[in-house]
Each structure stands twice: as C-alpha cells, then as structure tokens.
Amino acid sequence: MNPVIAENVASRRSFQMLRKAISSANDLSNRELLKYANSDAQNIITRHRETPESLNFAHIGPSSISGNGVFARTAIESGQCLGFFPGRCFHPPPPEAVLDSPKKVPEFYQSWDHNDKAINRYDGVLIDARFFDKPVASERMEFNKAHNKIAFGHMINHPPKGQTPNVLAFPVEFAHEEIGENDFIPYENHDLWYYSEEMGDYVTFPSCMSVKGIGIFSARHILPEEELFLDYDLKFVPLPEWYHPVYHENEE
C-alpha cells in the first residue's frame, strides 16, 4: 500500500478531492500523487511478470446488479493499486488538427458517443476497452486477455443507486521502451494522424510515444468477496436507464 495514496482516499471527502486532483493535475501536490500512483503501477506490473501468484486481488463472478462483475478475493487496504483498465489509447488531436472535415480526420475522433467501455484521462487521452474485448484483437491484446490477471478494470460495474464506488481510476504512464520489454502492460497506442493545413499534408505521431493508461486503486478498505464499483462518470446524452450519477456539481 502506498501511504500517500492511502492518506488521500481514506474518506469520502478525501476521495472527492482526489478525484478532482485527477482532472487538474497542475499544482505540485497533484503531480506528487500522480508520481506515486505511477510508481505503484510500475511495481504491480513487475510483480505480475515475476511472481504472478502474489497478485490475487480479484476475481470475476455473478454481479449483484446484472451479468458479471469483479470481486475482491481477499481483504484490500485503502490506496492499493489493484490492476488496470486495459485497451487501446487514443491521444487527443493537437490544436492544429483539422476537425471540421470527416475526410481529413480519423473516424475514431467522432465515435465515442454511448461507449461505456471507454474512459478519459485528465489530459484528454481516451482508453477504449472494446479493442481489448474484440474477438480478434492485436497480438498484445490477445496475450493480455489470455494471461494478464490484473487487466480487469473494464469489467468493474458502476455502483447502483445509493452506493459509492470503492475503487478509483487513476492515470498512469509507461515509457515506450517498457512496452517493448513487458508484455503484461495491457495497452497499445492507436496510430494518430491528422491533416495539417500549414504543411498541406497528413501528419503522423511518432511510434515511440509513451503509453498513458489507467490504474485501478482501492478507495477504502475493501472486504473479501465485496464487489468492486467504479464511477463511470458518463457524460453522453441520453444516459442509460441503469446509470445513476455518483457525484454532483453542488458537492464541495
């Protein structure tokens, strides 16, 4: 358990403050939280590669809501990195990208509506787990589906009405070199391209970009066999009937 993370998610109020920190990681204290979260994420990836039997945090089972969900296998302390929300990472287009012409902009920039398998980071990077669940995914995704025990974030349900989440999605990052060396990092960058009016040509981002993912952290002490719940924080309209917002604008 990371004491800095644990201290900041010890109560519901702290949980709200930490959630706000994710969306505005500008001041020093917020950057410090991001640094600690990333350190914990690196550690759990290393442990998965070297001693996977030590990562026995969660399992899939029938949900108390509907379908399947994710459950704690053992007691989990507050502030612990449990795993990842896997998928393909879509970096936001730069300001100079032309966004008003479908012919010049990749379709994925326009296809997020009503996708509850995608999650946004504070920096605009979107991670789409549909690419993880595809019947025939990329080689990296197929390997992680078969062998990665901590790539379960996309299977965690949104809490039912009246309940609060017990896990938190927190941004983490992996260097390009780490991706090549460790198959258990459950992410891949989508090739980003756009049309530059200034250059009069198509521009692609370098393949050596870091991968920006999402770690799943416990927001409080979690009991054995307790179902994990993550706030989906959906923004699209209309919202699904099953969705009940957890946070509201009038919260302090």
Side-chain angles (χ1 to χ4, degrees):
M1 177 185 65
N2 188 301
V4 174
I5 299 282
E7 179 182 353
N8 281 274
V9 297
S11 68
R12 175 171 165 75
R13 181 172 177 80
S14 294
F15 185 31
Q16 293 169 347
M17 292 172 64
L18 185 58
R19 184 172 177 272
K20 291 178 181 178
I22 297 173
S23 62
S24 59
N26 297 318
D27 63 51
L28 181 60
S29 62
N30 291 343
R31 290 202 301 271
E32 194 73 5
L33 285 172
L34 292 174
K35 183 181 75 173
Y36 277 106
N38 210 62
S39 174
D40 281 1
Q42 300 279 357
N43 178 56
I44 195 175
I45 285 288
T46 300
R47 286 174 59 194
H48 193 295
R49 181 176 57 189
E50 298 176 355
T51 56
E53 65 278 2
S54 69
L55 299 176
N56 204 25
F57 298 129
H59 68 92
I60 310 301
S63 172
S64 58
I65 302 174
S66 67
N68 289 326
V70 181
F71 294 80
R73 192 181 294 276
T74 60
I76 299 171
E77 296 183 47
S78 169
Q80 188 166 341
C81 183
L82 308 180
F84 299 92
F85 187 102
R88 182 172 290 183
C89 305
F90 294 85
H91 292 253
E96 63 269 24
V98 179
L99 297 180
D100 57 358
S101 172
K103 295 181 180 179
K104 296 179 179 178
V105 179
E107 182 182 352
F108 62 78
Y109 284 144
Q110 308 161 24
S111 61
W112 303 132
D113 288 350
H114 303 93
N115 179 5
D116 60 7
K117 289 298 183 183
I119 190 168
N120 273 299
R121 287 169 43 109
Y122 73 96
D123 53 7
V125 173
L126 185 142
I127 297 149
D128 193 343
R130 292 178 302 181
F131 288 85
F132 189 82
D133 282 339
K134 280 187 173 182
V136 181
S138 68
E139 183 176 346
R140 170 174 288 276
M141 295 293 98
E142 286 294 333
F143 175 87
N144 276 275
K145 281 197 294 184
H147 304 289
N148 196 330
K149 298 179 180 179
I150 53 176
F152 55 72
H154 62 306
M155 301 185 70
I156 300 175
N157 285 316
H158 181 79
K161 188 174 183 179
Q163 285 191 237
T164 56
N166 51 15
V167 296
L168 174 73
F170 212 87
V172 296
E173 187 168 349
F174 301 96
H176 175 71
E177 294 75 17
E178 295 176 89
I179 298 296
E181 296 171 356
N182 196 329
D183 290 333
F184 287 105
I185 298 176
Y187 299 106
E188 60 185 7
N189 277 333
H190 190 91
D191 293 335
L192 177 62
W193 60 267
Y194 65 96
Y195 185 84
S196 170
E197 286 191 326
E198 180 179 351
M199 297 181 63
D201 201 354
Y202 291 95
V203 177
T204 59
F205 274 22
S207 58
C208 60
M209 291 175 63
S210 63
V211 169
K212 299 182 177 183
I214 289 288
I216 301 297
F217 287 79
S218 51
R220 58 168 173 77
H221 181 79
I222 299 173
L223 299 174
E225 296 306 319
E226 183 178 348
E227 183 167 3
L228 304 186
F229 291 119
L230 173 68
D231 180 13
Y232 284 15
D233 195 23
L234 299 181
K235 302 297 185 185
F236 53 73
V237 178
L239 291 169
E241 291 185 4
W242 53 262
Y243 180 79
H244 301 281
V246 174
Y247 299 98
H248 306 279
E249 292 183 0
N250 60 356
E251 285 185 321
E252 296 181 358

